[in-house]
Amino acid sequence: MPTKSRPTTALVFGQQAETLQPHLLPPPLQDTESLSSDDFVLSASSSSSAPTGTATAAGGDSHSKVPSARSGLKTISDSLNQDDQSSESSDDADGRLTDTESEQVRARTRTGTPVIAGRTNNHHHGTTEHGTTTSSALQSLREIEEHDHEGRQTQLQGLESRFRTTTLVAQDQDLTSDGGDNQLKVLRPKPSSGSVGNNSLSSRPKSHLQRTASMKSYDSDDISNNHGGYQKHYGDEDHTTSAWTEHRKHFFILSSAGKPIYARYGDESRISSYMGVIQALISFFADNDDTLRCINAGEHRFVFLLKAPLYLVCVSRSGESESQLRDQLGYLYAQIISVLTQSQMTKIFEQRNNFDLRGLIGGTEIFLDSLGKLMNTYPGFMLGAIQCLTMPRELRDKVGAVLGRAKCKPLLYALLVTPTQLITLLRPRTHSMHPADLHLIFNLLSGSTTFESSESWTPICLPKFNNKSFLHAYICYIAKKVCMLLISPDKDSFFEMSSVKQKVVEGLEAGGMLASLENYAAAGTRGGFSVGDTGIPGLRHFLYKSRVNVQFTMPELTEPYATTTARKRLLRQYQNMNERMHRKTRPLKLLFHVGEQETLLGWVTSGFELYAAFGPLVSKSAVVLMSNKLLKWIRKQEDSLLILNSPSFEKFK
Amino acid sequence: MASRKKVLLKVIILGESGVGKTSLMNQYVNKKFSNQYKATIGADFLTKEVLVDDRLVTMQIWDTAGQERFQSLGVAFYRGADCCVLVYDVNNAKSFETLESWRDEFLIQASPRGPENFPFVVIGNKIDMEESKRMMWDQTMTDLRARSDLDIYIYDGVIEISQKRAMAWCQSKGNIPYFETSAKEAINVEQAFQTIAKNALQQEVEVEIDFPDPIKIDSDTSKDFGCAC
Ligand SMILES: Nc1nc2c(ncn2[C@@H]2O[C@H](COP(=O)(O)OP(=O)(O)O)[C@@H](O)[C@H]2O)c(=O)[nH]1
Ligand SMILES: [Mg+2]
C-alpha cells in the first residue's frame, strides 16, 4: 500500500532552518543606484569575425545533437563551472554589454562543448535578490533546448536532481507573514457566537439591503445560489482512472489531522485515503522534528507546504521548480485565509483538531479552482508583480483624481480594475497594497461572474494587509470589464461605499472618461498593445517587470501564442528562465536560451526583469540589438504601461 | 451544520497484529476476505461512504500496523480522530489483555478533547474459528514467528476470551460498545461499523465561531510594501 516508499524515491528534507524563512516583503528595492536604461545597454558588436551566421547555425544545429537528459545535465554543470572563466573574458571597459560571440562560439560549437560567449555586466550591484554578488554571463543553453515536451521534462528533472540539495527560497511573494501588529479595535458590535451553520458571516442585516444589493457571503447556502450551483470542473473525475493521474499538476489541501479540504481534481472526500497517506508521511518526519518539503520521484515532484493546522501539497510533472510550486501553494493558502482569516482558522482547530473545514469554506472552492488555472496563465504570480492596464497617463491621472475626490471616511482603498489589470489604486499615504493581496482580488473577480450583475458587499481578509481580520469590499462593475472595488474596514459602510461609487461614476461620465475607460479595458483584456507596436520585427513576446514598482507589462499573446496550449508553453519557458536566473546558488543576470520553437533572452538587474521571446533562428547579436531597442521603447512608453506613482488620498484633501 | 458536503470521519483501527484489523476493513469496504496473512506496513487507508440516520458521511479508515505500536507513524498520525476501534482475537487471550494499553496509548498520543467521552468501539474478531482451524492458525503463526522481520504476537493457543470478560471490561471503560465479529464470514461487521460511524459522528459537534475583530485603521497600522501601489 501507498506508505511503502520505493527506494527510488528521493526524499529532500531537512535544511529548513534558514531556508524556510523567506522575505516578508518584496525584495528591498531602495537601491539608490540610478537605473536609467543607459546603464544597461546591450549592443551588438559588428565584429567581422562574428558573422551572424554563427548563431543561426548554432540554432539550426541543435536538431542534430539532441543530448540525452544525462548529457544535458553534464554539459550544464560544465557550463556552470565555466561561469567564472567567461566573466573573466568579458570585462568590458565601457560598461556596455557587447556581444562577442566570435571565436569562442565557433570554437566550442565545433567541439560540442557548451557555448558561453557572455560578457560580464560590470555594473555589479552589491546585492542582488539573493544577496550574492554575481557575474552575469550570456549563456547559450543549447544543450537543454526543448526538443519535445517530454525530453524537456526529463532534462529539467535531471537538472533539478543535479541541484537537488539546493533548496530554493520563495522569492518576492511570501504569503506567510503574519499580518503584522496592527492595532485592532472593535468597531463592530460583536456578534453573538454562533455555530458553524449559523455563523456571523450569514447573520448580516440582509433585509435592509435587499432592495439595493445582493449580499455576497461565503456561507455555503448563499454561495450555492450566487454561483448558480457551481459544479467543480473535474469534481466528478474518478481518481482510479488514468485521466485523473495524468493531470500535470494536482493540488491537495488537508487538515493536519489528515482530513481532506480541497483537491483540484476529483472528489476530495473520495481521495481521502491519499490524504491519509500524505498525513502519515508528514507525521513520520514531524516526529523527528523534521519537515518534509519535497519528494522528487521520476518525473513527478511532490512539494509540501506545512501551515498547521493546514497542509498543502502539490504533485506536479509540469517542470516547475520546487520554489515555484511552493509559492503557488502559498497563494492557495492565502486564498483560504482570505475567506476565514488566520485567527479564525487557528481558533477553530484549537477547539477541535478533527474539524472538517469544508463546511466552512464551502462555496469558495471555485476560487481555489480559478487560482489554480490563473497561476498557469498569468505571469504575475511567478513575477510577484501586478499588471496594469495600458492607457495614457493623463487619463489615468484624471480617473485617479475623480476617485480621490470621492473619498469618504471609512474608505481605505479604492481600486479600478479590469479583472486582472490595475487601472488605478487610491490608498492612504501610509498604506500600500501588496501584490499578493491584489492577486487575490484579481482572482476573486476573474474566478466568478457573480460580481458582474450587481453591487456586492463581501468580507475579505487580505493576508498581507492583516491576516487576523476582515476588510469589507464593495464590488461593482461600472462599465464593461471595468470593476470598482471600494475597501473599508467597517462592515456597515455599504451605503456609504455605494454612494462613493455613484459619485465616481458621475464624475467619470461628466469628464467623458467612462467611455474611454471602457475602450481601454476592452483593448486591455486582449492585451493592451501588441508586439508590433514596439516596431521590432523579430520580437514575438516579452515580459517586463519593474522591480521598483512591483508591476509588469506584456503585449497581447498573438500568433504563435494564440492558443491556450501555446500560451501555457510560453509561460513555462519564462518560468524555466526565471527559475534558472534566480537560483540561489548561481543566480544569473543574463540568460540566452535557444529553444526549438523560440529563442529567449532573460535579463535581470536590480531595476527590472526582462524575458523576451524571439523567433527560433535569430542570432544572438540580433537578440542583443533588439533587446536594447525594446528597453528603449519600454522606457518611452513606461508611463502608460505602468503606474509610476500611485496617488494617495491625501493628495486630494 | 448547514453543509452540502458529506462530513468526513477519521476512524483509527488499533490492536495486536494478526487479530484481523485489515481483514475487517476489507470485509467492510470491499466485501472481500483472504485467508492469506499480509502484514500491514505502516498504515493502510480506505474510504467508504455510509448512511447514518439518513445522513451521508464519508469514513476515512486508518488501519495501522500493530507490531510497532505508535512509534512508526508519529504522534501527529493519530491527531483529530473521530473514533478509535480496538480489535482483539477472541481466540487469543493476550490480544485481549493488551487492549487496555492500546486504549491508554491512543488517549495519550491523540490527546482528544474530553478523553472520558471519546468514542471507542471494541471488536472481538474471528468468532468463526473452530478447533481444527485454530490448530491450523496456530501452525501458520508458528511459521510466521520464525520470520524475524515480522514481529508477530505470540499466540497463546486456544484460550477463548469469554464474552463476559470482554463485556465487563468495556463497561468499566465507560460503556464502550462491544461487537463480536467474523471478518471471514462477514458476521456482524456491518453492524459494528455502523455503530462506529454513528459514534464518530457525535464528535462532529459544532464549533464556536467568533467573527474576528474588525480592523481599526490609523497611521499606526501603516503598511508600506515598498511598491507604488
Ligand atoms: N477465520 C478467520 N480468520 C481471520 C478473520 N479475520 C482475519 N483472519 C485471518 O487472520 C490473519 C490476520 O488478519 P489481518 O487482517 O491481516 O490482521 P491484522 O494484522 O490485524 O491486520 C489473516 O490470515 C486472516 O485471513 C476471521 O474473522 N476469521
Ligand atoms: Mg493489518
Side-chain angles (χ1 to χ4, degrees):
Chain A
M1 277 297 279
T3 44
K4 220 189 265 181
S5 60
R6 300 224 296 282
T8 49
T9 305
L11 286 174
V12 182
F13 44 85
Q15 321 170 336
Q16 67 271 48
E18 79 280 42
T19 43
L20 263 182
Q21 192 54 55
H23 313 247
L24 296 184
L25 298 174
L29 295 166
Q30 51 282 68
D31 199 329
T32 45
E33 259 183 274
S34 88
L35 297 163
S36 79
S37 60
D38 301 331
D39 286 351
F40 299 94
V41 177
L42 281 165
S43 68
S45 74
S46 48
S47 157
S48 58
S49 60
T52 41
T54 312
T56 315
D61 226 20
S62 56
H63 291 269
S64 51
K65 344 177 253 178
V66 192
S68 69
R70 187 168 280 282
S71 71
L73 199 153
K74 183 184 171 298
T75 46
I76 288 302
S77 68
D78 284 348
S79 72
L80 287 173
N81 292 337
Q82 293 175 40
D83 249 12
D84 298 341
Q85 182 190 332
S86 77
S87 40
E88 266 167 36
S89 68
S90 52
D91 204 34
D92 206 330
D94 62 358
R96 292 155 69 91
L97 246 74
T98 47
D99 176 25
T100 56
E101 47 156 22
S102 46
E103 278 75 20
Q104 287 180 51
V105 176
R106 280 180 300 163
R108 291 205 184 127
T109 311
R110 241 178 277 126
T111 55
T113 49
V115 178
I116 302 165
R119 305 299 321 236
T120 311
N121 180 341
N122 69 359
H123 286 262
H124 288 295
H125 296 282
T127 46
T128 68
E129 181 159 7
H130 297 278
T132 35
T133 310
T134 54
S135 63
S136 65
L138 265 174
Q139 290 208 20
S140 165
L141 292 182
R142 288 179 300 120
E143 286 73 16
I144 56 161
E145 72 213 3
E146 188 158 333
H147 257 269
D148 59 60
H149 215 86
E150 290 319 306
R152 173 64 164 183
Q153 297 292 335
T154 339
Q155 290 177 353
L156 278 171
Q157 213 66 47
L159 270 177
E160 279 313 314
S161 57
R162 167 80 172 70
F163 294 103
R164 208 167 46 212
T165 47
T166 315
T167 315
L168 297 165
V169 183
Q171 316 165 2
D172 298 4
Q173 329 87 313
D174 165 53
L175 299 156
T176 63
S177 74
D178 67 10
D181 35 338
N182 281 346
Q183 297 213 330
L184 301 181
K185 195 175 146 192
V186 183
L187 295 176
R188 167 205 308 280
K190 203 156 186 167
S192 53
S193 309
S195 69
V196 169
N198 177 28
N199 69 55
S200 40
L201 290 178
S202 55
S203 63
R204 271 164 305 180
K206 267 184 201 181
S207 53
H208 88 252
L209 284 173
Q210 259 162 5
R211 282 166 293 118
T212 45
S214 83
M215 297 288 292
K216 297 297 184 298
S217 94
Y218 292 117
D219 182 86
S220 52
D221 293 338
D222 263 41
I223 286 287
S224 55
N225 295 333
N226 288 341
H227 296 281
Y230 171 61
Q231 279 287 309
K232 206 171 140 213
H233 203 106
Y234 292 95
D236 286 334
E237 200 167 74
D238 185 349
H239 66 277
T240 56
T241 62
S242 60
W244 188 84
T245 47
E246 273 164 20
H247 287 296
R248 294 196 155 266
K249 189 158 59 180
H250 285 271
F251 289 123
F252 303 103
I253 304 177
L254 52 146
S255 75
S256 48
K259 291 198 177 188
I261 293 170
Y262 171 78
R264 189 175 181 202
Y265 302 111
D267 179 338
E268 76 285 334
S269 66
R270 259 180 264 155
I271 54 174
S272 77
S273 310
Y274 294 159
M275 304 284 190
V277 174
I278 292 170
Q279 203 270 357
L281 285 171
I282 293 169
S283 166
F284 180 80
F285 290 101
D287 235 33
N288 300 311
D289 288 325
D290 210 340
T291 308
L292 183 56
R293 309 188 66 206
C294 182
I295 302 173
N296 292 308
E299 63 169 359
H300 283 93
R301 174 167 293 152
F302 299 65
V303 178
F304 299 78
L305 179 66
L306 310 188
K307 293 252 152 215
L310 298 194
Y311 294 156
L312 300 100
V313 182
C314 175
V315 179
S316 161
R317 52 185 188 93
S318 63
E320 289 161 285
S321 74
E322 182 190 333
S323 67
Q324 283 167 344
L325 294 172
R326 187 168 293 112
D327 285 350
Q328 294 176 14
L329 292 175
Y331 275 106
L332 292 175
Y333 180 71
Q335 168 58 40
I336 290 185
I337 294 299
S338 82
V339 173
L340 283 179
T341 74
Q342 173 103 49
S343 44
Q344 208 177 52
M345 192 168 66
T346 316
K347 230 182 271 169
I348 289 166
F349 280 97
E350 269 167 12
Q351 285 179 54
R352 290 237 157 248
N353 57 9
N354 63 341
F355 191 73
D356 191 340
L357 195 65
R358 294 173 305 160
L360 211 49
I361 62 159
T364 66
E365 296 97 328
I366 187 174
F367 299 112
L368 293 167
D369 285 349
S370 66
L371 195 54
K373 263 189 245 160
L374 204 58
M375 289 189 294
N376 270 343
T377 51
Y378 181 73
F381 296 97
M382 164 189 94
L383 292 171
I386 50 155
Q387 190 177 9
C388 302
L389 178 66
T390 308
M391 62 189 274
R393 175 174 187 166
E394 195 190 321
L395 178 61
R396 205 191 302 272
D397 287 349
K398 268 164 64 188
V399 171
V402 174
L403 277 181
R405 282 193 294 271
K407 158 95 172 136
C408 70
K409 193 152 178 294
L411 181 58
L412 179 62
Y413 292 112
L415 297 86
L416 279 176
V417 297
T418 77
T420 57
Q421 297 168 328
L422 185 64
I423 296 169
T424 189
L425 183 151
L426 270 283
R427 59 188 179 90
R429 197 171 36 78
T430 48
H431 292 66
S432 58
M433 192 180 260
H434 195 281
D437 284 345
L438 258 173
H439 284 150
L440 287 181
I441 289 175
F442 288 170
N443 180 55
L444 181 73
L445 297 178
S446 60
S448 165
T449 53
T450 185
F451 298 108
E452 281 169 30
S453 44
S454 58
E455 297 174 271
S456 306
W457 184 237
T458 183
I460 183 172
C461 169
L462 298 176
K464 286 288 190 184
F465 177 80
N466 182 329
N467 64 6
K468 296 182 189 72
S469 298
F470 282 114
L471 291 168
H472 299 267
Y474 171 90
I475 303 170
C476 180
Y477 277 79
I478 58 170
K480 207 154 189 252
K481 300 279 179 200
V482 181
C483 181
M484 177 136 108
L485 267 118
L486 302 171
I487 296 177
S488 160
D490 176 7
K491 78 165 170 57
D492 296 319
S493 55
F494 172 84
F495 289 109
E496 279 165 281
M497 295 302 130
S498 186
S499 63
V500 167
K501 183 216 72 180
Q502 207 48 45
K503 256 201 250 172
V504 171
V505 170
E506 279 159 19
L508 291 177
E509 269 172 348
M513 285 174 263
L514 201 55
S516 32
L517 261 188
E518 195 169 65
N519 287 338
Y520 282 111
T525 341
R526 290 193 303 271
F529 62 98
S530 78
V531 269
D533 296 345
T534 63
I536 302 167
L539 181 66
R540 284 183 173 179
H541 192 261
F542 69 87
L543 282 183
Y544 174 86
K545 171 187 172 180
S546 159
R547 296 175 76 170
V548 185
N549 296 300
V550 208
Q551 294 166 22
F552 78 96
T553 189
M554 64 174 191
E556 192 180 339
L557 284 147
T558 45
E559 280 302 336
Y561 306 117
T563 66
T564 317
T565 326
R567 268 170 212 197
K568 274 194 204 166
R569 196 184 58 79
L570 181 65
L571 182 65
R572 288 275 180 271
Q573 300 262 56
Y574 287 146
Q575 277 180 311
N576 293 338
M577 299 280 285
N578 171 280
E579 190 275 326
R580 179 62 199 90
M581 298 191 72
H582 290 289
R583 207 174 278 169
K584 214 186 165 197
T585 36
R586 281 178 185 271
L588 300 174
K589 288 193 168 180
L590 275 165
L591 183 59
F592 182 71
H593 171 72
V594 183
E596 187 180 72
Q597 303 193 41
E598 58 269 297
T599 301
L600 294 151
L601 177 89
W603 189 3
V604 177
T605 74
S606 57
F608 67 84
E609 277 179 46
L610 176 70
Y611 303 89
F614 304 88
L617 300 177
V618 179
S619 74
K620 198 190 298 166
S621 51
V623 163
V624 167
L625 199 72
M626 288 188 282
S627 300
N628 275 324
K629 251 179 116 179
L630 174 60
L631 264 190
K632 235 178 238 154
W633 183 85
I634 292 171
R635 288 293 144 95
K636 230 169 95 193
Q637 307 293 324
E638 203 167 29
D639 63 352
S640 59
L641 299 175
L642 306 175
I643 302 176
L644 296 178
N645 54 338
S646 110
S648 66
F649 283 120
E650 285 79 357
K651 216 177 126 186
F652 301 97
K653 271 207 172 133
Chain B
M1 207 163 99
S3 168
R4 294 164 299 141
K5 294 271 183 187
K6 304 177 274 288
V7 174
L8 187 125
L9 303 171
K10 173 172 176 176
V11 175
I12 291 189
I13 308 186
L14 299 175
E16 296 288 286
S17 61
V19 297
K21 297 182 295 296
T22 306
S23 303
L24 279 166
M25 187 171 88
N26 259 319
Q27 179 57 257
Y28 178 58
V29 177
N30 301 320
K31 309 258 176 287
K32 276 185 196 143
F33 177 81
S34 154
N35 267 316
Q36 267 183 358
Y37 182 71
K38 245 174 48 202
T40 306
I41 313 285
D44 278 355
F45 303 88
L46 278 178
T47 305
K48 184 175 167 97
E49 281 177 10
V50 269
L51 211 59
V52 183
D53 300 335
D54 295 332
R55 204 172 151 196
L56 204 54
V57 300
T58 310
M59 272 216 264
Q60 183 190 34
I61 307 172
W62 301 46
D63 175 27
T64 58
Q67 65 270 32
E68 287 151 314
R69 296 283 173 107
F70 292 90
Q71 272 86 52
S72 57
L73 293 161
V75 178
F77 183 80
Y78 303 92
R79 173 165 47 207
D82 294 291
C83 182
C84 176
V85 185
L86 303 170
V87 186
Y88 76 97
D89 176 350
V90 293
N91 311 292
N92 176 284
K94 185 172 166 275
S95 74
F96 174 77
E97 274 144 23
T98 52
L99 283 193
E100 176 106 25
S101 64
W102 282 110
R103 179 180 168 276
D104 291 348
E105 246 177 300
F106 172 82
L107 288 175
I108 292 165
Q109 307 285 0
S111 53
R113 285 207 155 202
E116 59 291 337
N117 296 320
F118 185 85
F120 285 94
V121 169
V122 170
I123 292 180
N125 189 36
K126 304 198 191 180
I127 53 164
D128 59 282
M129 268 171 124
E130 294 155 26
E131 194 79 14
S132 60
K133 288 178 192 158
R134 278 181 211 143
M135 302 310 273
M136 278 168 59
W137 171 242
D138 200 10
Q139 188 52 50
T140 315
M141 293 315 285
T142 314
D143 294 348
L144 279 169
R145 228 175 311 154
R147 288 179 54 188
S148 54
D149 55 330
L150 290 177
D151 184 13
I152 300 296
Y153 75 98
I154 309 300
Y155 182 58
D156 285 16
V158 261
I159 313 151
E160 264 193 64
I161 314 302
S162 77
Q163 206 179 50
K164 243 179 162 171
R165 205 178 142 203
M167 287 172 89
W169 186 80
C170 287
Q171 212 158 35
S172 75
K173 299 296 168 196
N175 266 327
I176 300 179
Y178 173 69
F179 290 88
E180 292 194 339
T181 63
S182 162
K184 184 179 183 181
E185 319 264 273
I187 301 168
N188 242 350
V189 177
E190 195 70 41
Q191 289 86 332
F193 275 93
Q194 190 67 31
T195 301
I196 292 164
K198 201 166 172 171
N199 291 3
L201 207 52
Q202 292 166 3
Q203 283 297 93
E204 208 56 35
V205 296
E206 290 176 342
V207 167
E208 300 271 298
I209 292 174
D210 288 332
F211 211 72
D213 293 339
I215 303 171
K216 166 137 192 317
I217 305 297
D218 53 42
S219 47
D220 296 347
T221 65
S222 168
K223 284 259 153 147
D224 200 337
F225 297 106
C227 48
C229 49

